[in-house]
Amino acid sequence: MSCESLYDVLLVDQNATLDDIKLAFKKRALQVHPDKGGSKEAFHLVYQALETLADPEARAKYDNTLSQVKTRPEQRPHQRVPGRKKKAPKKPGHRAAEKEPKPKRPAAHGGKASTAPAAPATQQSKQTKLLIRIHDLLKQLPRHVRNDVICKQFSQKQRLILERWMVDMSTEGGKERSLALATESLAASARSPGTAQDGHCSVLALPAASASFSRKEFAKQTAKRTKRKRNKESKGKVRSTAGYLKKDSRGSLAYRAGICFDSFEMLTKKCDFQTALEYLVVLTAAKQKMRDPKAPDLHFEERLQAALVSSAKEHGKDLADLRLSFVLIQAAGFFIGISLRAPTVRSIDILGRMRCFMEAFRQYAKNGGNRCIYWQYSPAHLQDAWERFQKGVAHAWEIAGANSTDILQKIQALHKGRTEFRIRQLQKWEQGHMAMQDKNWRRPKRLRTPLPFRAQKYRKVLSEREECRRMALEDRKRHRPRGLRGQNYSRKLLALKRLLARWESALKRKARLLDKARRKVIEEKKAQRKKTQEERRRLEALNQKRLKEEERLRRKALRKRMRSDLTMDEILGRHDADGPDRKKWDVLRSWAFIRCSTGLS
């Protein structure tokens, strides 16, 4: 039941209204109450669902938490711890079975399988292996050496590729794909000068060479494990709730609804089980109105009266029908070890007066805990507070109209029984107080106080040591102190330099191939453009030749049509012409022919 949501506990939908939730609570309470065949834990869980889902702010927070739990991805399997033993090696038969090559995938159309895509995959895996080796060598170097290598020996393109590969490697999958995309996207930028700045060093998320936890980190990890263990143990438990239903007496069928919060308790009149459930819903609504931070700032009596009246009106009840009674609960753990219950009263004003009078003694409610109360108050002050507490109890009982003799005798007996506890607390305080008189470094760690002058002097010494160390590191290694000479990383740096050279040559080869492919594409586009222009010119020449031939044929047809039995002289009305007139008539005939052939009037 602990794995179910509060909506599943009430058997309602997540979009249910407030009335639906209250109705579902009444139905479920009839099923899970201990007197109806259920259990106390089940009833507390149902009432907890009502308290959470009936409050708008609490419901919004719960819905947000529920959505985060539903959308949370599955946990990854735990990685193998280095200290654990490895599994036993498999039998030779299993190894042979593992080394058997897998059958090749047949071709789609029945022909031979193409081996073209295999080349980029092999090249890609080689680059990945190269990056893995470079990453491992960088992890083995100290931080300052690694930063120096990354800034001086890596190019901008190599830094970006390595950083992207490390980011993608931290997530599941995508190692090969991310490397190919990074290489192809940066190969083009490498051709254009001025885009990459080798002096810039990108931040690479590499762990330090020697990873060791400090005491503070170890304490934090231990505290987290303890907290997880406690949460796991208390996962199935149901927290106690403020509202309840109880029988008036044994064998009786009458119930009373009650709720306890803010150091007082409210009880309704005796009624049947169904009516008691309705009264419990009213009291829960009043509690939520009392704790609403947006409520007007009024006195305790006015706020409680307004909350009860409005809650009863919302649920169709009259406040007088509930016949409420109130009980003040005063915490006094240090004095008597238990909480003190005041006499039952019927008036809110009397409850407010008693609560206001006993409010001053709530600061002595703690039983001591990890920190002794004597660190806050002196023994004389506590003795005076005990005398005032007795007088306050007597006055509160007088306000309630009850005799205070019996209760004073009871609390005095309880106070006397707590004498040993107070003596132990006083001794603990005296020991700590005596320890505070010693020097700071002789005290227990929980009682030590930071000394500003000593800390300032210590910081000055540390700064001087750091300055000496920095100046010694600037000298040659043979002139440094032995503690600052460090290890010899020449072999690792040489191996890293060779790997970077191989990687740079591979990147250049990849860039040359991409540049060659780009130039080939450009040449193909130029050849296609030239071929298109030549074809267009050829078509234009053919078109002009066709037009000239059509014009020639048209003129030839006109000449043939003009050759008939009639002569030009007959057309112009001239019979004979000799001498200069003959030339004149020839010119006129030619103009007439041209005008007829061109269609001019």
Side-chain angles (χ1 to χ4, degrees):
M1 206 169 189
S2 60
C3 298
E4 297 177 343
S5 65
L6 297 182
Y7 295 100
D8 297 335
V9 171
L10 294 179
L11 302 179
V12 294
D13 188 24
Q14 192 168 356
N15 299 324
T17 60
L18 182 59
D19 296 335
D20 297 339
I21 291 172
K22 292 177 180 178
L23 183 61
F25 165 73
K26 296 174 185 178
K27 292 181 180 179
R28 290 287 294 157
L30 287 171
Q31 300 172 0
V32 300
H33 194 268
D35 294 341
K36 303 297 180 181
S39 62
K40 183 179 179 180
E41 291 78 10
F43 181 77
H44 282 177
L45 187 59
V46 171
Y47 183 74
Q48 179 184 347
L50 173 68
E51 278 187 320
T52 305
L53 301 181
D55 188 4
E57 294 184 1
R59 184 177 181 180
K61 291 181 181 178
Y62 178 75
D63 290 343
N64 188 17
T65 306
L66 196 64
S67 62
Q68 291 178 0
V69 171
K70 288 183 178 179
T71 58
R72 185 178 299 171
E74 296 181 359
Q75 297 182 353
R76 298 181 184 177
H78 296 286
Q79 298 180 356
R80 188 181 66 84
V81 181
R84 294 183 182 176
K85 295 182 179 180
K86 296 183 180 180
K87 294 183 178 180
K90 297 181 180 180
K91 297 181 180 179
H94 294 283
R95 290 185 179 179
E98 289 178 357
K99 291 183 180 179
E100 289 182 0
K102 296 182 180 179
K104 294 184 178 180
R105 189 175 180 181
H109 300 285
K112 293 183 179 180
S114 62
T115 57
T122 306
Q123 182 71 16
Q124 195 168 325
S125 63
K126 287 182 179 180
Q127 292 184 3
T128 305
K129 292 178 180 178
L130 192 65
L131 282 172
I132 291 173
R133 292 179 62 185
I134 293 173
H135 182 264
D136 293 338
L137 284 174
L138 287 174
K139 284 200 301 183
Q140 297 174 12
L141 298 175
R143 184 179 296 275
H144 64 281
V145 177
R146 182 170 61 240
N147 292 339
D148 190 28
V149 169
I150 291 173
C151 291
K152 294 182 179 180
Q153 297 188 16
F154 278 70
S155 63
Q156 178 70 8
K157 182 169 62 174
Q158 288 176 337
R159 285 195 292 267
L160 292 176
I161 292 175
L162 181 60
E163 187 173 359
R164 292 185 185 181
W165 176 79
M166 290 171 59
V167 171
D168 294 338
M169 187 180 64
S170 61
T171 59
E172 293 182 356
K175 297 180 184 178
E176 303 286 340
R177 179 183 56 81
S178 61
L179 179 63
L181 290 176
T183 307
E184 292 178 1
S185 62
L186 292 171
S189 63
R191 291 191 301 269
S192 58
T195 57
Q197 300 176 1
D198 293 340
H200 174 68
C201 177
S202 60
V203 180
L204 297 177
L206 291 173
S210 59
S212 61
F213 289 100
S214 63
R215 291 185 177 181
K216 292 184 179 180
E217 293 176 350
F218 181 75
K220 289 181 181 179
Q221 296 292 337
T222 307
K224 288 182 180 180
R225 287 195 296 269
T226 307
K227 187 176 181 180
R228 286 197 297 265
K229 185 177 180 180
R230 290 178 181 175
N231 293 338
K232 188 176 180 180
E233 291 177 354
S234 62
K235 188 176 181 181
K237 297 181 181 180
V238 181
R239 65 175 178 86
S240 60
T241 55
Y244 58 89
L245 293 177
K246 67 176 182 178
K247 281 188 177 182
D248 186 56
S249 61
R250 289 186 178 181
S252 175
L253 297 178
Y255 288 86
R256 300 183 70 181
I259 193 170
C260 179
F261 66 97
D262 291 347
S263 299
F264 75 98
E265 183 179 13
M266 289 190 295
L267 293 169
T268 62
K269 66 177 183 178
K270 301 176 185 178
C271 56
D272 59 329
F273 189 82
Q274 185 69 29
T275 309
L277 280 176
E278 296 177 358
Y279 288 167
L280 181 59
V281 174
V282 174
L283 296 180
T284 305
K287 172 192 169 184
Q288 293 174 355
K289 293 181 183 295
M290 284 287 293
R291 293 188 170 181
D292 188 7
K294 299 180 182 179
D297 190 10
L298 302 174
H299 291 290
F300 172 78
E301 299 86 350
E302 297 175 354
R303 286 193 296 115
L304 182 58
Q305 182 70 26
L308 289 171
V309 171
S310 61
S311 300
K313 188 176 180 181
E314 287 176 2
H315 295 83
K317 303 290 182 182
D318 189 6
L319 185 60
D321 295 340
L322 273 69
R323 284 191 286 177
L324 293 174
S325 58
F326 306 94
V327 179
L328 180 66
I329 302 175
Q330 178 63 39
F334 177 75
F335 294 139
I336 59 177
I338 60 173
S339 297
L340 190 63
R341 292 178 62 89
T344 303
V345 295
R346 296 277 183 180
S347 173
I348 298 178
D349 295 334
I350 296 176
L351 175 67
R353 289 170 58 192
M354 295 172 62
R355 190 173 183 274
C356 182
F357 194 81
M358 300 296 293
E359 185 74 21
F361 302 102
R362 297 182 68 181
Q363 55 185 334
Y364 312 109
K366 295 182 179 180
N367 292 325
N370 296 329
R371 192 73 172 178
C372 179
I373 197 172
Y374 287 101
W375 287 100
Q376 302 176 8
Y377 308 104
S378 64
H381 177 84
L382 291 174
Q383 182 64 28
D384 181 64
W386 164 243
E387 299 294 338
R388 289 186 288 108
F389 179 73
Q390 294 181 79
K391 295 178 181 179
V393 170
H395 188 67
W397 258 246
E398 289 177 4
I399 293 174
N403 189 8
S404 60
T405 306
D406 296 338
I407 191 63
L408 287 176
Q409 293 177 359
K410 182 179 179 180
I411 63 174
Q412 288 172 2
L414 292 172
H415 183 266
K416 187 177 180 180
R418 299 267 300 176
T419 305
E420 295 182 2
F421 169 76
R422 289 192 298 275
I423 291 174
R424 288 196 304 268
Q425 293 290 320
L426 185 59
Q427 290 176 354
K428 185 178 179 180
W429 172 77
E430 288 177 351
Q431 291 174 1
H433 189 68
M434 291 173 64
M436 292 293 293
Q437 305 300 325
D438 296 337
K439 294 183 178 180
N440 194 34
W441 60 277
R442 289 183 178 272
R443 302 175 191 172
K445 289 185 178 180
R446 59 185 178 85
L447 297 178
R448 291 179 186 176
T449 55
L451 298 178
F453 298 104
R454 181 174 295 178
Q456 185 177 2
K457 183 179 179 181
Y458 182 66
R459 284 196 297 268
K460 185 178 180 180
V461 172
L462 286 181
S463 62
E464 292 176 356
R465 290 180 181 177
E466 184 64 25
E467 182 68 19
C468 294
R469 181 179 179 277
R470 187 182 61 80
M471 294 176 63
L473 289 175
E474 292 179 358
D475 297 337
R476 292 184 179 181
K477 184 177 291 187
R478 62 182 181 180
H479 294 157
R480 301 177 192 171
R482 290 187 178 182
L484 298 178
R485 291 181 183 178
Q487 299 180 5
N488 189 7
Y489 299 102
S490 57
R491 292 185 179 180
K492 296 179 182 179
L493 292 175
L494 182 60
L496 183 61
K497 188 176 181 180
R498 291 175 180 175
L499 291 175
L500 289 176
R502 285 176 54 189
W503 189 17
E504 184 68 25
S505 62
L507 291 177
K508 289 181 179 179
R509 184 164 57 253
K510 183 73 173 180
R512 285 197 299 270
L513 291 175
L514 292 176
D515 196 10
K516 184 177 180 181
R518 184 179 61 83
R519 288 198 301 268
K520 185 178 180 180
V521 171
I522 292 174
E523 290 175 359
E524 289 178 355
K525 288 183 179 180
K526 287 183 179 179
Q528 184 68 22
R529 194 182 303 115
K530 185 176 181 181
K531 186 177 180 181
T532 305
Q533 291 177 358
E534 291 178 355
E535 183 69 18
R536 186 170 64 251
R537 290 172 185 171
R538 188 180 65 81
L539 292 176
E540 289 177 358
L542 290 175
N543 191 19
Q544 291 179 2
K545 187 176 181 181
R546 181 180 59 80
L547 291 175
K548 288 181 180 180
E549 185 67 20
E550 289 178 356
E551 182 69 20
R552 187 182 65 78
L553 293 175
R554 187 173 63 82
R555 289 184 179 185
K556 185 177 180 180
L558 285 174
R559 290 192 194 99
K560 287 182 180 181
R561 192 169 53 188
M562 292 300 297
R563 293 176 185 175
S564 58
D565 296 337
L566 297 176
T567 62
M568 200 67 180
D569 294 336
E570 292 176 353
I571 293 173
L572 295 175
R574 182 180 176 278
H575 300 282
D576 289 324
D578 295 328
D581 294 335
R582 181 79 179 185
K583 295 181 180 180
K584 181 179 179 181
W585 286 110
D586 292 338
V587 172
L588 290 175
R589 279 198 301 271
S590 62
W591 276 104
F593 174 76
I594 292 171
R595 295 179 69 179
C596 290
S597 63
T598 56
L600 297 174
S601 59

